[in-house]
Amino acid sequence: MTVRVATLGFPRIGTRRELKTALEQYWAGNSSADDLLSTAASLRASAWQRQKDLGAEIIPSNDFSLYDHVLDTSAMVGAVPAIYGNVQGKVDLGTYFAMARGSQTTSEECGCGHAHDTPAAEMTKWFDTNYHYLVPQFAADQTFRLASTKAVDEYREAKALGIETRPVLLGPVSFLLLGKCDGPAFDRLDLLPALLPVYERVLNALRAEGADWVQIDEPCLVLDLPGNAAAVFKTTYNTLTAAVPDLKLMLATYFGALGDNQGIALSLPVHGLHVDLVRAPEQLASILEKARPDLLLSLGVVDGRNIWKADLNALLDHLEPLARQRDLILAPSCSLLHTPIDLERETDLDADVKSWLAFAVQKIEELHTLARALNEGRGVVQTILAENAAALQARHSSTKINNPAVQTRSADRNPALAQRHSPFPARRPLQQASLRLPLYPTTTIGSFPQTTEVRKARADHTRGELSSEAYEAFLREETARTICWQEEIDLDVLVHGEFERNDMVQYFGEQLSGFAFTKHAWVQSYGSRYVRPPIIFGDVSRPKAMTVEWWEYAQSITKRPMKGMLTGPVTILNWSFVRDDQPRAETCRQIAFAIRDEVCDLEKAGCGIIQIDEAALREGLPLRRADWQSYLDWAVESFRISASGVQDATQIHTHMCYSEFNDIIAAIGAMDADVISIETARSRMELLDAFAAYRYPAEIGPGVYDIHSPRVPSVEEMVDLLRAASKTISPDALWVNPDCGLKTRKWPETKAALLNMVAAAHYMRP
Ligand code: GLN
Ligand code: ZN
């Protein structure tokens, strides 16, 4: 029996972020489409060659994308909403990027005498990753046609380089399920009969070019599916396999267990099935028992979502008996899109931490080692296996990871730790007495514009070109000016502006123990936006106060209340690569204690209002409903631990950047914050529904203007919103604020909008 190595997708961005540079040059008009396309081609060529050199035998094509693979799929099937024009032939670059990023056309360019401002397609998170895709939009009478030959072109391109690839397509069922209806809702799966002929054409074309296998991704098979899913999948795959009988399909599932959809997956007439054995190792036994003997299994045994070395010896113990019985493919659990490319570039990383990690390149090497051990015996890779065991052992017992004091503290399960002294109704009069705020108090969410000067000063300081003293002085001046201006326009609760922060998670991670930061470990967030998530490798503690000095400085400038601003434990966790040697809940709890110490120190310094942002609480929700409650339980408990060390008179705020609260509103209430600010300006009706159905126990600041756009809302508009809000939320519990931080805005629009916002609050006051 033979074991082969496959990858399901490789990072597109290039080891030196070449794709970002090429895209931005092109968008700025500094380079031609040909320049962009030739950079893209060379990135593909080197990714293919790299994977081949590393020992991957089954190499993907069409996993590359200039922007997003879901957008590529929309382009492939001609699902271009009418606002982007009546596209007849191929979807060209202009249309593609208009869908990705929106576009402005001047009246001359258009020729119709009007300027057009076309918004980008909606973007949302790809399953539970931090990658965002462009949401396909379907009309009830949607038609499809072949409008991009990218899949075939890239297959041919690889072939010309001497590399045989397995093209990747996003499967038709997942594609439809990931989209949304334009207008009144209808069952998107009703569009399958119209969609499948395009898939048939693409598959036929790939077969004609010589492809034996195609990887067809149906990650929706790990989700809770509608009742007709079984029938839908069956019809779809019967149709596709009948239409292209001599092409083999590898149905790829990832990000979780097939669970109740396992029967569906195993019943389909495909030749291969990829399953995620990192998220769901337990599913292997029943898959082996029920799979057709001729079904080629692709086992996702190396974590495509995280950056830790795999335990090769333990994997071999499991795989050896299996590999004696059937041919196998070994692969990462999912596309390597979600990992950084090459650990070797991290020359400044702590050597011990580095020895515990594996990025995309190293993960393929791990798979290659496993395959060799299975095909030829462990002896041929003895040294590598011994090194792997030693690294894992060293990690396990390292003093860099283990902090007994943190472990003891976190093991204390005393429920009082997650409990304010008194319930909200008792806290409230104490807070009112000490803060003495007017009705409809005004505030902002924390950050003020991070101007070019602010970013330049930070970059200069990081590069050593600006001394720490000069940088500090610059930040202090910026802060002072921002505070004076807030006073001038009569905001009630002030913020310091967060100019000293590079990022709301990184800023704290850099001051906590147990975190490591990389120089080059970029991962695509969306389009040309990449992030470098912190790595939480060890027990988390807070060696010293992180924000108290800045708060003291800020409060010294004004008599009005100055908010202390912190990022909450759940958000820090969800935006990091998290250690895999203990439950996420445990890591979150440790961070919660570190934040709790900061909250207490702020209070001790005299801070009476402390905001703990939980921007990413909702996005940590598990993919399956059945798993939601246990996540929400520990997430809420962590927040409460961070917030509960203070006196009743200290007011705890939290902030969340989204408005879909309906399904988790009880958990939001259970966080027991005194004030919550949330995004609502773009979707106020949704918020009001949630808060009408559930009486939120504390005070609320429903964002009255959308900070994601430079548009300045009028006083009347904000008064209208406040009036609407005061129908569901008692006026004495209403705060007035924008719906998120202002760091991405420019000063002129910020000033104009906040002036109007204060005027709206004044107007509302009796
Ligand atoms: N306090 C942060 C800010 O104002 C919150 C950012 C966020 O919620 N994403 O920037
Ligand atoms: Zn926000």
Side-chain angles (χ1 to χ4, degrees), residues 688-764:
L688 297 181
D689 288 352
F691 285 83
Y694 169 89
R695 286 233 63 79
Y696 185 73
E699 302 184 6
I700 309 176
V704 290
Y705 85 83
D706 175 12
I707 63 90
H708 304 89
S709 140
R711 210 179 136 264
V712 175
S714 67
V715 180
E716 294 73 44
E717 220 175 289
M718 291 191 266
V719 165
D720 273 355
L721 275 169
L722 287 168
R723 283 206 176 118
S726 64
K727 295 217 172 77
T728 15
I729 301 163
S730 153
D732 65 351
L734 256 184
W735 284 65
V736 180
N737 47 259
D739 69 2
C740 195
L742 298 160
K743 62 175 164 247
T744 55
R745 295 272 55 91
K746 301 218 167 7
W747 270 109
E749 75 238 22
T750 299
K751 289 191 167 176
L754 288 179
L755 270 168
N756 286 353
M757 186 187 89
V758 171
H762 288 182
Y763 183 86
M764 293 295 289

Side-chain angles (χ1 to χ4, degrees), residues 655-657 739-741:
H655 163 70
M656 292 174 189
C657 319
D739 69 2
C740 195

Side-chain angles (χ1 to χ4, degrees), residues 446-468 470-476 478-479 496-508 510 522 532 550 743-744:
S447 57
F448 267 83
Q450 290 253 337
T451 55
T452 331
E453 299 85 80
V454 173
R455 278 180 278 127
K456 181 171 183 307
R458 181 177 311 128
D460 288 351
H461 177 242
T462 312
R463 274 199 302 271
E465 288 163 20
L466 186 67
S467 72
S468 292
Y471 179 51
E472 291 270 309
F474 167 83
L475 292 174
R476 269 199 301 274
E478 205 65 23
T479 305
H496 73 287
E498 301 182 19
F499 301 108
E500 78 288 9
R501 303 187 185 178
N502 37 17
D503 170 272
M504 65 186 285
V505 169
Q506 191 179 348
Y507 182 73
F508 291 95
E510 281 173 349
W522 297 98
R532 247 179 333 179
W550 271 110
K743 62 175 164 247
T744 55

Side-chain angles (χ1 to χ4, degrees), residues 107-367:
S107 49
E108 299 88 77
E109 277 167 352
C110 180
C112 74
H114 300 282
H116 301 282
D117 198 346
T118 314
E122 187 180 317
M123 199 162 55
T124 196
K125 279 164 67 74
W126 174 244
F127 297 83
D128 57 355
T129 71
N130 254 327
Y131 175 87
H132 300 73
Y133 72 93
L134 287 149
V135 181
Q137 193 178 322
F138 306 118
D141 60 352
Q142 182 73 44
T143 55
F144 298 100
R145 64 197 176 80
L146 184 62
S148 159
T149 52
K150 176 178 181 293
V152 178
D153 297 344
E154 292 182 9
Y155 173 78
R156 209 186 284 135
E157 185 180 303
K159 202 163 192 137
L161 295 167
I163 296 180
E164 182 57 36
T165 59
R166 185 175 71 184
V168 185
L169 298 177
L170 174 58
V173 181
S174 292
F175 173 65
L176 291 176
L177 289 175
L178 290 168
K180 64 168 198 175
C181 303
D182 181 10
F186 57 90
D187 186 352
R188 297 187 299 286
L189 294 175
D190 289 345
L191 300 174
L192 272 167
L195 177 63
L196 290 183
V198 182
Y199 271 81
E200 289 172 23
R201 283 190 64 185
V202 175
L203 292 172
N204 264 308
L206 288 168
R207 181 71 196 119
E209 289 293 330
D212 289 328
W213 281 88
V214 164
Q215 170 189 326
I216 194 148
D217 287 2
E218 290 286 8
C220 284
L221 280 166
V222 310
L223 303 181
D224 297 323
L225 288 177
N228 60 347
V232 164
F233 270 101
K234 253 214 162 100
T235 319
T236 299
Y237 283 87
N238 282 337
T239 309
L240 293 182
T241 43
V244 203
D246 50 352
L247 181 70
K248 301 191 181 91
L249 296 182
M250 172 58 72
L251 184 76
T253 68
Y254 41 81
F255 300 150
L258 286 164
D260 57 349
N261 302 323
Q262 186 182 292
I264 303 179
L266 289 175
S267 73
L268 300 178
V270 290
H271 288 77
L273 175 67
H274 172 86
V275 289
D276 183 340
L277 296 183
V278 173
R279 282 277 176 92
E282 71 290 344
Q283 65 178 339
L284 181 60
S286 65
I287 288 171
L288 285 171
E289 188 187 310
K290 295 178 190 141
R292 295 189 329 256
D294 65 328
L295 183 72
L296 180 59
L297 291 179
S298 165
L299 308 182
V301 290
V302 160
D303 197 348
R305 294 284 300 275
N306 214 330
I307 39 101
W308 305 101
K309 270 189 178 154
D311 185 342
L312 300 181
N313 295 282
L315 281 171
L316 286 175
D317 292 343
H318 279 110
L319 293 169
E320 274 164 351
L322 196 57
R324 282 194 284 273
Q325 286 160 26
R326 48 196 308 159
D327 288 338
L328 289 177
I329 292 180
L330 297 186
S333 56
C334 58
S335 167
L336 292 168
L337 176 65
H338 311 289
T339 58
I341 300 181
D342 188 2
L343 181 62
E344 285 318 313
R345 295 208 62 210
E346 298 303 326
T347 45
D348 293 346
L349 199 59
D350 176 277
D352 287 332
V353 173
K354 188 172 168 183
S355 74
W356 307 330
L357 304 181
F359 293 177
V361 161
Q362 288 72 34
K363 285 172 191 291
I364 301 177
E365 287 172 342
E366 291 185 334
L367 291 164

Side-chain angles (χ1 to χ4, degrees), residues 51-71:
Q51 294 176 81
K52 189 171 178 183
D53 295 344
L54 291 164
E57 289 155 277
I58 300 163
I59 297 170
S61 59
N62 199 39
D63 56 330
F64 177 85
S65 177
L66 284 173
Y67 203 94
D68 163 41
H69 57 276
V70 182
L71 178 62

